[in-house]
Amino acid sequence: MSSLERLLSVLDLFTEERPIWTLEDIIETHSFSRSMAYRYVKELSDSGLLMPIGRGRFVLGPRIIELDRQIRVCDPLLAVSQSIMLSTIEEVGDGILTLSSLYGERIICTHQEPESSPLRVTHSRGRTLPLFSSSTSRAIVANLPERKLVKLFLEHRPEISAGGLGNEWAEFKKKLAEIRRAGICLSHGAIDPGVVCAAVPLFNGKSNVVGAICLVQADQGREISRRDKDLVRAAAARISEGVGNLLSQDVMKPLPQKAAGPFLANAGVALAEV
Amino acid sequence: MSSLERLLSVLDLFTEERPIWTLEDIIETHSFSRSMAYRYVKELSDSGLLMPIGRGRFVLGPRIIELDRQIRVCDPLLAVSQSIMLSTIEEVGDGILTLSSLYGERIICTHQEPESSPLRVTHSRGRTLPLFSSSTSRAIVANLPERKLVKLFLEHRPEISAGGLGNEWAEFKKKLAEIRRAGICLSHGAIDPGVVCAAVPLFNGKSNVVGAICLVQADQGREISRRDKDLVRAAAARISEGVGNLLSQDVMKPLPQKAAGPFLANAGVALAEV
DNA sequence: ATTAAAATGTCAATATATGAGATTTTTGTA
DNA sequence: TACAAAAATCTCATATATTGACATTTTAAT
């Protein structure tokens, strides 16, 4: 285990159920030596990923918010997707459209359009989806290179089996091939009850999957309409094309330039006034 | 320089002006060896802090969005501040109230209330403020322990001098003491023209500064009113008290429990349908 | 001011990161 | 589909940065 992994594993401790951690508890759960624990939380605090709030207690730090803003303002994948997602969900006229990506073995929802909706779903910005049982996950996983699929199958056999994706490698592979060929993955109530989904994978121009978009609608007894499915497919195709374009253009000056307004020189700050 | 610093310094490359980086360019700017650069971006990608989009190109990764959600949903500092900030800005009836924190040598705005406003200001969630010239920064810096101030003074003498905070250590120290004593720091057009600010530091119960709140209003020729300043002071006092309470309570079960709705077992995901 | 606790610094041992090159995998083109 | 070129990963000896016990300093409490 590399030292980066050890360090970042500290961040994994911070959950909704337990957003504050003391040094003592970090030492216990990770069996760090005392000096190492001090060093780690100091490095993480200096980099802003953690923030000390006093008495040996820590919460997630402001650097995360800064990096998140960076993504919101100018992430190229988001820039390509956002307007397409917005116009698509407007044309569909009902439901939410989500954008998700894979890292390590987690699927994360990174954007949704519209930002708020009466539909209350698990799919929402920043949330994790299960690796095998959501339509979004399946749309992505089905398009992963075989080498990664072998690894996933070996390490997640129980979940794959429970999710109905097959008990043997051959079966798993065959089912994923079906999803891949269909180009769309549907579900009803897989993650949230009362909701139906249609997920389509996104590629970087070529054949590398970089994520998926998913249309989520209230379950009204019938399937997502043919028309809506086609709209989602069309949106995915346009996004994939856009991502492909990112790869051909020169990286040095993509400059979306949203006129971010640089800081002005300090005009006049009162030192202290009451 | 530790290997964590080296690794995280890669994240600093990703700016609004240049949100995509190739492996080649990372190697050049950091003068990493080829193998090390591959290793670094792989580690960062595996942890989700970077995301490969193909052809050796990288953007900031989805783990950041996941961590940001964690903060939005259950950060204790935010939980304590949010309702106080909202009710305060409603009572003030005009402007924006921001919450900022320090890490390393950056001041970051971590929250604002209301979320959107006709007032277009630099102060907004995720943005960095200059260390010495904004009222928010000064409210925080003035309350840092002397040891840190010495370091800041030595390393930022030009900016401190340019910002009118003194040319010599004694002068710097004296001016900060004034700000500290006043308990509030005012500015007009320091960062954004046409805007006036009043910032009050936040403490963790005791004397450790953990951030500042700042009232931002359109500049209408006159100062922020005595009443508004008092409202901000009162809000800061309540937040400081709340943060102090975080330190005394048992950390094991703070459980804000916003009923986050766990995933349901997969009810029925169609394998692939058209 | 005094004591206790918390945080940081010191240093030798050693585990881990490093970089050059070999090897494998992926991509582009016929 | 096969082939060549490029990209990404793996290997391994070396050097260096990490580690942990302990000493020291700093901070907090009475």
Side-chain angles (χ1 to χ4, degrees):
Chain A
M1 200 188 204
S2 74
S3 65
L4 175 81
E5 281 179 274
R6 260 192 300 274
L7 256 154
L8 293 185
S9 72
V10 172
L11 297 184
D12 288 328
L13 294 175
F14 294 77
T15 62
E16 281 186 61
E17 291 73 34
R18 195 167 172 187
I20 305 182
W21 280 78
T22 66
L23 189 87
E24 297 302 326
D25 292 336
I26 293 173
I27 291 173
E28 260 189 57
T29 48
H30 274 73
S31 54
F32 288 154
S33 77
R34 185 155 291 269
S35 6
M36 278 298 103
Y38 272 111
R39 258 188 280 251
Y40 279 165
V41 297
K42 187 167 194 308
E43 288 197 69
L44 288 168
S45 302
D46 287 347
S47 70
L49 296 177
L50 286 186
M51 175 174 173
I53 56 170
R55 304 222 327 157
R57 285 165 159 81
F58 295 85
V59 298
L60 293 179
R63 170 101 246 243
I64 291 164
I65 295 173
E66 191 184 17
L67 288 168
D68 182 75
R69 175 179 184 276
Q70 171 73 13
I71 291 178
R72 275 183 287 117
V73 171
C74 67
D75 178 67
L77 182 54
L78 205 56
V80 164
S81 310
Q82 200 156 11
S83 61
I84 297 172
M85 286 174 70
L86 180 60
S87 62
T88 301
I89 196 64
E90 274 173 356
E91 193 166 352
V92 167
D94 170 41
I96 305 179
L97 203 53
T98 67
L99 173 67
S100 305
S101 293
L102 170 80
Y103 83 83
E105 302 194 343
R106 288 192 214 178
I107 307 276
I108 309 286
C109 176
T110 56
H111 185 63
Q112 64 187 74
E113 209 68 64
E115 301 234 348
S116 67
S117 156
L119 214 56
R120 295 226 54 76
V121 289
T122 297
H123 263 69
S124 69
R125 188 171 194 275
R127 291 213 71 175
T128 308
L129 296 172
L131 236 188
F132 298 106
S133 51
S134 76
S135 54
T136 296
S137 309
R138 291 183 176 194
I140 294 175
V141 170
N143 289 280
L144 253 23
E146 179 148 337
R147 202 173 43 79
K148 282 195 184 172
L149 286 181
V150 173
K151 192 164 160 278
L152 282 183
F153 181 76
L154 293 175
E155 290 173 3
H156 297 273
R157 220 160 158 170
E159 296 125 277
I160 288 168
S161 187
L165 280 178
N167 297 305
E168 296 305 321
W169 166 246
E171 197 183 350
F172 178 58
K173 205 176 149 184
K174 184 157 158 281
K175 299 209 166 177
L176 291 189
E178 281 175 40
I179 298 175
R180 206 180 317 130
R181 272 196 49 254
I184 194 166
C185 184
L186 307 179
S187 72
H188 52 280
I191 306 300
D192 299 287
V195 141
V196 291
C197 298
V200 181
L202 304 173
F203 301 91
N204 63 356
K206 300 276 168 188
S207 57
N208 298 320
V209 63
V210 294
I213 54 172
C214 180
L215 174 62
V216 184
Q217 293 182 330
D219 186 356
Q220 295 164 326
R222 50 183 167 69
E223 253 200 349
I224 287 181
S225 72
R226 154 76 72 174
R227 170 179 161 275
D228 289 351
K229 281 190 274 190
D230 286 344
L231 285 170
V232 178
R233 283 178 197 275
R238 288 173 62 202
I239 294 173
S240 294
E241 194 198 338
V243 176
N245 291 339
L246 291 178
L247 302 188
S248 49
Q249 74 194 31
D250 185 20
V251 129
M252 212 43 202
K253 293 280 168 190
L255 286 180
Q257 281 299 35
K258 291 191 184 177
F263 295 123
L264 299 173
N266 36 299
V269 197
L271 268 180
E273 287 178 16
V274 194
Chain B
M1 199 188 205
S2 73
S3 64
L4 174 82
E5 280 179 274
R6 262 191 300 276
L7 254 154
L8 293 185
S9 72
V10 172
L11 297 184
D12 288 329
L13 295 175
F14 294 77
T15 62
E16 280 186 59
E17 291 72 35
R18 194 165 171 187
I20 305 182
W21 280 78
T22 66
L23 189 85
E24 297 301 327
D25 292 336
I26 293 173
I27 289 174
E28 260 188 57
T29 47
H30 274 74
S31 55
F32 289 153
S33 76
R34 186 155 290 272
S35 3
M36 275 299 102
Y38 272 113
R39 258 189 279 251
Y40 279 166
V41 298
K42 186 167 195 306
E43 288 196 70
L44 288 168
S45 302
D46 287 348
S47 69
L49 296 177
L50 286 186
M51 177 173 170
I53 57 170
R55 303 224 327 161
R57 283 165 161 82
F58 295 85
V59 297
L60 291 180
R63 170 98 245 244
I64 292 164
I65 295 173
E66 192 184 17
L67 287 168
D68 182 74
R69 175 180 184 275
Q70 171 73 15
I71 290 178
R72 276 183 286 115
V73 170
C74 68
D75 178 65
L77 182 54
L78 205 57
V80 164
S81 311
Q82 201 155 13
S83 61
I84 297 173
M85 288 174 69
L86 180 59
S87 62
T88 301
I89 196 64
E90 276 175 354
E91 194 166 352
V92 168
D94 170 40
I96 306 179
L97 203 53
T98 67
L99 173 66
S100 305
S101 293
L102 170 81
Y103 83 83
E105 302 194 344
R106 287 192 213 178
I107 308 276
I108 309 285
C109 176
T110 55
H111 184 62
Q112 64 186 74
E113 208 67 67
E115 302 235 347
S116 66
S117 155
L119 213 57
R120 296 223 54 76
V121 288
T122 297
H123 261 71
S124 70
R125 190 173 193 275
R127 290 214 71 175
T128 308
L129 295 173
L131 236 190
F132 299 106
S133 52
S134 76
S135 55
T136 297
S137 309
R138 292 184 175 194
I140 294 175
V141 170
N143 288 281
L144 254 23
E146 178 149 337
R147 204 172 43 79
K148 282 194 183 169
L149 287 181
V150 172
K151 192 164 159 275
L152 283 182
F153 181 75
L154 294 173
E155 290 173 4
H156 297 274
R157 219 158 159 172
E159 297 128 276
I160 288 169
S161 186
L165 279 178
N167 298 304
E168 296 306 322
W169 165 246
E171 198 184 348
F172 179 58
K173 205 175 147 184
K174 184 159 158 280
K175 298 210 167 176
L176 291 188
E178 281 174 40
I179 298 175
R180 207 180 316 129
R181 271 195 51 255
I184 194 165
C185 184
L186 307 179
S187 72
H188 53 280
I191 306 302
D192 299 289
V195 141
V196 291
C197 297
V200 181
L202 304 173
F203 301 91
N204 63 358
K206 299 278 170 189
S207 57
N208 298 319
V209 62
V210 294
I213 56 173
C214 179
L215 175 62
V216 184
Q217 292 182 332
D219 186 355
Q220 295 165 327
R222 51 183 166 69
E223 253 201 349
I224 287 180
S225 72
R226 154 75 72 171
R227 172 180 160 273
D228 288 352
K229 282 190 272 189
D230 285 344
L231 285 170
V232 178
R233 282 177 197 276
R238 287 173 63 201
I239 295 172
S240 293
E241 193 198 338
V243 176
N245 291 339
L246 291 176
L247 303 187
S248 50
Q249 74 193 30
D250 186 22
V251 126
M252 211 43 204
K253 293 281 169 192
L255 286 179
Q257 283 297 34
K258 292 191 184 179
F263 294 125
L264 299 173
N266 37 300
V269 197
L271 269 180
E273 287 179 16
V274 196

